[in-house]
Amino acid sequence: MAFTSNKCCNCNTKFTKRCSKHSNSTRYNRVSINSNIKRRPFTPIVALRDVGVELAPMRPGQQDSRYLCDDCVIKIRDISDSQRKFAEAREGLDAASKKNSYLGRKLKRLHSPSTLKTQKRGGEQAHGAPSLAKAIRETMPLEFELAPGRMIGGDHPCYIIAEIGQNHQGEIQIAKDLIKVAKDAGADCAKFQKSELSYKFNKAALARPYTSKNSWGKTYGEHKEFLEFSHDQYKELQDYANQIGIHFTASGMDEKAVDFLHDLGVPFFKVGSGDTNNLPYISRTAEKGRPMIVSSGMQSMETMRKVYKILKDKGATFCFLQCTSAYPLEAEDVHLRCIEAYRKEFPDIPIGYSGHESGATITVGAVALGAKVVERHITMDKSWKGSDHEASLEPDELKDLVRQIRLVERALGGTVKEMRECELPTFNKLGKSIVAARDIPSGSVITADMLGVKVAEPKGLQPENIADLIGKRTTRAIDYDDSIRKGDVTE
């Protein structure tokens, strides 16, 4: 008896039939891509064993006939380059757990006797497929290509977005000047905000009077229309960004704007906080197949879980940004620890930060906490009319932010604690050694009162090894205050 399924046990993509031209263990899915029919192989899940995954046992007399689609197999085999490698599983679940490895804990729980015992009998749950699929999803790579030639996550440099938004005052030349500011400061991307007003606002919202000091029109609709660039102007700005060598994108503030940006060919979509809980928008944007950066201002963790699930089910590559939607933002309202919470809750995606505070310090702190993407508004002059200018960075501040981020990235270094080459001069000058606390005749059995620790010439054995010398015998006479060196003692 064989347990069979008509879909990938990881992503639930269905297959249609066996292919007679291949072995009986190969199944194929017919999917439509650009109106062309393409076949993708399904791989038996038992093939996972060669990447170190232990599968839940089948009931007596059953054969494991679950399958994985080609995309999931590729993702699994790419894990060797991610921060949670299946190589840890090869070293053994016990070793992984001792390292406090997230992957080790996941797989150990997945295949523990108590887990297997409590799984329901019958259907996929009896065979652990959903649990295995969850483990696979949660250990996929933490890095992806956000824009051509630019990876994010993992050990790649933080991706810095200069958010121009509508700080261009409705003038195309100011917009170009701000793109140049972003490029000159060393930012990776210049970003705008694109709206198709009749799709973003209803008639009443556009018609309401707008008498704010920041207003560019008598109604809110006139105000927004004044600040909105045309499609041709966006193409002009994109061409200029390409010319000077900086990525160009925009937040699509409604689905029609996303359609336009997709046709324009932006490298990735940015989802503003106001659309993060607009789940139909999230779903339809993901279906376009471009990477996504999703801000989380005004949202709860439960909402972010829903967004995560939708994007995962759509096969999207994406990251979340911690964000508090206040302009300007006070330090006590930033909550940088949410970055850590996101990294724990969503361990398979990069996490970043979108800030509206003054200065660079908090954003640099976000990078130190693991933010792989940061976004900050920029302006030519904070005193200009507009609600975002006060929470924006002027050109010199943006340069300073980029400089500090790159500096703290250098300082983060690696996770292995060891003596560094740069420490050797200090060690050679001030590092201490084990010395004789009194004259020790040759052949003496060493006791604790015979040993001391001092800065000594020449260097002797390291002080952390002092307990290892107790009970050993000297091979030579050692004068008071002399260094005790390798070869001076024996068993």
Side-chain angles (χ1 to χ4, degrees):
M1 178 180 179
F3 172 76
T4 60
S5 174
N6 66 343
K7 59 186 177 181
C8 171
C9 71
N10 180 40
C11 70
N12 294 325
T13 300
K14 292 184 178 180
F15 63 77
T16 57
K17 62 179 181 179
R18 295 179 185 267
C19 177
S20 60
K21 295 183 179 179
H22 295 79
S23 69
N24 289 335
S25 63
T26 304
R27 303 191 179 202
Y28 282 80
N29 180 37
R30 302 177 75 243
V31 294
S32 177
I33 300 177
N34 296 328
S35 300
N36 294 320
I37 298 300
K38 183 178 180 180
R39 294 181 182 272
R40 289 189 299 182
F42 272 62
T43 301
I45 200 169
V46 292
L48 282 174
R49 287 199 173 97
D50 67 4
V51 290
V53 175
E54 297 179 19
L55 303 178
M58 308 303 294
R59 293 200 298 271
Q62 284 193 316
Q63 177 185 352
D64 192 345
S65 298
R66 289 167 292 172
Y67 286 80
L68 285 166
C69 70
D70 190 52
D71 288 346
C72 289
V73 171
I74 291 172
K75 289 176 182 177
I76 293 166
R77 295 186 186 281
D78 283 343
I79 286 173
S80 60
D81 295 326
S82 71
Q83 292 185 359
R84 290 174 176 82
K85 301 178 181 180
F86 269 112
E88 289 183 348
R90 295 192 192 103
E91 296 171 0
L93 296 178
D94 290 339
S97 297
K98 288 178 182 178
K99 294 178 182 178
N100 197 28
S101 160
Y102 180 85
L103 174 60
R105 295 197 305 272
K106 277 288 177 185
L107 292 177
K108 192 170 185 178
R109 283 202 303 270
L110 176 60
H111 300 292
S112 67
S114 60
T115 301
L116 296 176
K117 184 177 180 180
T118 57
Q119 285 178 337
K120 295 180 181 178
R121 300 182 68 84
E124 290 184 344
Q125 281 186 313
H127 308 284
S131 297
L132 179 59
K134 183 178 179 182
I136 293 169
R137 284 195 295 271
E138 291 180 347
T139 53
M140 283 181 182
L142 284 164
E143 56 187 54
F144 62 87
E145 188 176 57
L146 181 66
R150 184 58 159 88
M151 300 289 290
I152 65 165
D155 294 326
H156 300 287
C158 178
Y159 190 84
I160 302 173
I161 300 173
E163 166 69 280
I164 296 168
Q166 295 189 325
N167 281 354
H168 47 68
Q169 313 300 83
E171 295 187 22
I172 193 76
Q173 187 55 52
I174 293 178
K176 289 182 177 180
D177 291 344
L178 285 168
I179 293 174
K180 187 66 162 58
V181 164
K183 169 64 178 177
D184 291 346
D188 295 286
C189 179
K191 190 181 83 66
F192 290 80
Q193 296 174 5
K194 182 71 182 92
S195 299
E196 301 292 346
L197 298 181
S198 63
Y199 288 86
K200 181 180 179 181
F201 302 98
N202 68 6
K203 292 179 180 179
L206 292 173
R208 71 177 171 88
Y210 192 54
T211 57
S212 162
K213 65 178 182 178
N214 295 318
S215 175
W216 295 96
K218 294 180 180 180
T219 66
Y220 195 66
E222 291 177 359
H223 163 76
K224 296 298 291 184
E225 188 174 356
F226 178 87
L227 293 172
E228 197 63 50
F229 287 141
S230 69
H231 290 187
D232 288 342
Q233 287 174 313
Y234 260 87
K235 184 67 171 79
E236 182 180 345
L237 292 173
Q238 183 188 52
D239 289 343
Y240 178 71
N242 291 339
Q243 176 186 334
I244 66 173
I246 187 171
H247 295 147
F248 174 91
T249 194
S251 297
M253 310 301 281
D254 53 80
E255 290 181 25
K256 193 70 172 178
V258 171
D259 289 341
F260 163 68
L261 294 171
H262 182 60
D263 293 339
L264 190 64
V266 296
F268 63 90
F269 294 125
K270 168 66 197 303
V271 178
S273 293
D275 276 307
T276 299
N277 64 348
N278 183 353
L279 301 186
Y281 166 98
I282 293 290
S283 179
R284 290 167 191 156
T285 301
E287 288 171 355
K288 296 189 179 298
R290 297 187 187 276
M292 296 171 63
I293 294 178
V294 184
S295 279
S296 60
M298 306 177 287
Q299 310 303 331
S300 67
M301 184 64 82
E302 182 57 33
T303 297
M304 300 311 293
R305 291 189 188 104
K306 292 178 181 178
V307 174
Y308 174 89
K309 184 179 186 306
I310 289 172
L311 294 178
K312 280 293 180 179
D313 288 347
K314 296 290 183 181
T317 51
F318 63 99
C319 74
F320 286 164
L321 305 186
Q322 162 57 10
C323 177
T324 302
S325 297
Y327 306 82
L329 179 62
E330 297 299 326
E332 57 268 25
D333 293 321
V334 173
H335 299 289
L336 286 181
R337 287 196 178 112
C338 283
I339 293 173
E340 297 175 323
Y342 280 145
R343 293 178 68 188
K344 181 179 179 181
E345 184 73 24
F346 312 113
D348 59 333
I349 64 171
I351 302 299
Y353 174 71
S354 178
H356 307 123
E357 73 279 358
S358 299
T361 304
I362 291 173
T363 302
V364 174
V367 175
L369 284 174
K372 296 301 182 180
V373 176
V374 297
E375 176 187 61
R376 289 296 303 272
H377 288 253
I378 65 170
T379 181
M380 286 295 190
D381 189 333
K382 293 183 182 182
S383 67
W384 279 359
K385 181 165 71 172
S387 57
D388 286 349
H389 291 288
E390 188 178 355
S392 301
L393 300 174
E394 292 180 345
D396 286 345
E397 291 177 308
L398 179 62
K399 284 183 179 179
D400 185 56
L401 172 65
V402 174
R403 181 189 62 79
Q404 290 192 50
I405 287 174
R406 299 309 179 211
L407 179 63
V408 80
E409 285 178 328
R410 290 169 53 199
L412 285 172
T415 58
V416 176
K417 181 57 184 171
E418 60 185 1
M419 186 184 296
R420 306 293 174 179
E421 185 177 352
C422 64
E423 297 177 298
L424 289 176
T426 303
F427 172 77
N428 291 333
K429 180 179 179 181
L430 299 175
K432 293 187 176 182
S433 302
I434 301 172
V435 300
R438 59 182 174 87
D439 292 340
I440 306 175
S442 177
S444 299
V445 176
I446 295 178
T447 57
D449 62 320
M450 297 179 180
L451 306 176
V453 175
K454 293 183 178 181
V455 176
E457 293 289 345
K459 288 290 182 194
L461 296 173
Q462 295 296 295
E464 65 259 31
N465 300 319
I466 195 167
D468 297 337
L469 300 183
I470 307 300
K472 293 185 177 180
R473 193 176 299 274
T474 58
T475 59
R476 68 174 180 89
I478 305 173
D479 294 338
Y480 165 74
D481 230 23
D482 276 359
S483 301
I484 298 179
R485 308 177 72 183
K486 185 177 180 180
D488 289 346
V489 296
T490 185
E491 297 293 340

